[in-house]
Amino acid sequence: MKKARKELHEMVLTETITKNDLPDTFEADYYHKHMDNTMKCTFTEVNEASTLYEYEIEYTRINWFMPRLMAILFPSVYRKPVKKWMDNFKVFVEQQP
């Protein structure tokens, strides 16, 4: 009997920072062989203890048919991971001294 082996897939992603005006804004482009996207983040002080973090992510190129179809029919497929990344970023920032 053969055991199935789960293979890990490496993903190569290139980040190009297009604007780094921290602590106010940050913008970057992300390139992958199958898709590209842009990210724009703004940080607005609410009070001494809080910052409003707003982000906009736009998929500018999707090279595969199925992911493109998924983006049209089920856009939440792309929104959910972005929300998870932003929640992880929030936890990271809040743990800083």
Side-chain angles (χ1 to χ4, degrees):
M1 180 164 54
K2 291 184 179 181
K3 289 185 179 180
R5 190 176 99 190
K6 189 174 184 179
E7 294 186 26
L8 297 177
H9 298 279
E10 183 176 296
M11 182 173 89
V12 177
L13 185 68
T14 303
E15 175 185 58
T16 303
I17 297 172
T18 56
K19 184 176 183 179
N20 188 357
D21 191 18
L22 292 174
D24 300 315
T25 61
F26 176 84
E27 297 179 12
D29 294 331
Y30 297 90
Y31 302 97
H32 180 268
K33 67 181 179 180
H34 298 299
M35 65 178 57
D36 300 334
N37 66 297
T38 61
M39 178 176 71
K40 298 177 183 181
C41 305
T42 58
F43 305 92
T44 307
E45 183 178 350
V46 176
N47 57 45
E48 285 187 25
S50 299
T51 299
L52 175 64
Y53 174 34
E54 297 176 292
Y55 60 89
E56 176 184 330
I57 296 179
E58 178 182 2
Y59 287 87
T60 56
R61 180 182 63 87
I62 301 176
N63 236 10
W64 287 355
F65 173 73
M66 283 306 291
R68 186 178 304 160
L69 184 61
M70 294 294 286
I72 294 167
L73 297 176
F74 307 103
S76 66
V77 167
Y78 291 96
R79 287 188 200 121
K80 285 180 184 178
V82 170
K83 172 86 168 87
K84 179 181 165 190
W85 302 331
M86 298 305 109
D87 290 343
N88 289 343
F89 177 71
K90 180 181 184 292
V91 169
F92 168 77
V93 169
E94 289 176 345
Q95 291 176 350
Q96 300 306 303

